[in-house]
């Protein structure tokens, strides 16, 4: 028997239909909130003056993992390019899997 499951997001502010889940952090805690377009824009507008003066922080282990430019290639072709460059510059790198941090840092410095 086939099933079709629809997930409907409900705005956490006014219980209207939400369009997205917005994530943000404050005081070391990460938050998720389902919002419609108007409320999502209002949240972003309210935070914009602070975000504009803030600096990005690295993520600690635990919770959702996200890649940053310094920690992971943006695509498999980037990883391939880094591996080729690393081998040509005397680094030993695995065929697959995570690239060592030192290799990524050296590649970034060279480019």
């Amino acid at each position: 028997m086939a099933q079709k499951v629809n997930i409907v997001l409900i705005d956490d502010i006014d219980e209207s239909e939400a369009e997205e889940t917005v994530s943000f952090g404050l005081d070391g805690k990460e938050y998720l909130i389902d919002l419609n377009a108007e409320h999502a824009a209002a949240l972003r507008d309210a935070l914009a003056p602070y975000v504009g003066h803030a600096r990005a922080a690295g993520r600690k282990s635990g919770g959702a993992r996200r890649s940053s430019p310094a920690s992971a290639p943006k695509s498999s072709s980037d990883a391939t390019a880094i591996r080729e460059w690393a081998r040509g510059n005397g680094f030993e790198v695995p065929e697959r899997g995570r690239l060592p941090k030192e290799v990524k840092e050296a590649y970034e410095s060279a480019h």
Side-chain angles (χ1 to χ4, degrees):
M1 174 190 280
Q3 291 184 345
K4 183 176 182 178
V5 177
N6 291 321
I7 297 174
V8 178
L9 295 177
I10 303 299
D11 187 295
D12 291 321
I13 303 296
D14 65 6
E15 298 186 1
S16 64
E17 189 168 329
E19 297 176 36
E20 65 180 300
T21 300
V22 178
S23 65
F24 63 97
L26 182 64
D27 295 334
K29 293 184 180 181
E30 294 287 323
Y31 298 92
L32 297 173
I33 187 167
D34 299 325
L35 298 172
N36 63 32
E38 179 183 342
H39 290 142
L43 175 60
R44 289 184 176 105
D45 288 346
L47 293 175
Y50 302 98
V51 172
H53 288 80
R55 61 187 176 279
R59 300 267 180 200
K60 295 186 178 175
S61 61
R65 292 187 52 106
R66 295 188 181 117
S67 297
S68 66
S71 66
K74 293 175 182 57
S75 71
S76 61
S77 62
D78 289 343
T80 301
I82 294 172
R83 287 179 207 286
E84 289 174 6
W85 176 88
R87 289 185 188 111
N89 286 277
F91 290 94
E92 289 186 29
V93 291
E95 286 295 321
R96 298 178 351 146
R98 180 174 289 178
L99 289 164
K101 180 179 178 182
E102 300 79 33
V103 171
K104 290 184 278 189
E105 289 173 350
Y107 178 82
E108 291 294 323
S109 294
H111 293 87

